[in-house]
Amino acid sequence: MIELFQRICQERDIPSASLRVGDVATVVELLPGTTESGGEPGYALEVTNAVGETYAVVFVAASAVRKLTPHEILHARPLVQAIDA
């Protein structure tokens, strides 16, 4: 179980927020399952830049994230804004 304020790793890209698999975020709200999500619970995630400024808050299904492990190291990448076509 992922807990409130725990840092997680994204398991799916979120193109609308320019987020990629492997990006790290913090759980800021636990969301119950809904009919729209097929009953799957989810999370509200706060995504910050490298200096801790909030970049986005996104809502994801529980299956879209996982806990971080001690066998991983964080990595910085440039933030690229989504471009509207």
Side-chain angles (χ1 to χ4, degrees):
M1 173 76 181
I2 296 175
E3 298 177 8
L4 198 58
F5 304 117
Q6 186 172 6
R7 293 190 329 173
I8 56 81
C9 179
Q10 294 181 191
E11 290 285 281
R12 296 183 192 151
D13 290 340
I14 304 175
S16 62
S18 298
L19 301 174
R20 299 182 187 155
V21 170
D23 286 347
V24 175
T26 302
V27 174
V28 293
E29 189 171 348
L30 308 174
L31 305 171
T34 64
T35 303
E36 294 81 24
S37 70
E40 182 179 5
Y43 304 102
L45 306 176
E46 179 184 28
V47 183
T48 60
N49 64 14
V51 296
E53 300 165 334
T54 299
Y55 165 70
V57 175
V58 296
F59 302 92
V60 299
S63 61
V65 300
R66 65 171 173 78
K67 292 182 179 183
L68 294 172
T69 72
H71 305 290
E72 297 174 300
I73 189 165
L74 301 180
H75 174 82
R77 69 171 178 85
L79 178 62
V80 179
Q81 296 289 337
I83 299 173
D84 293 326

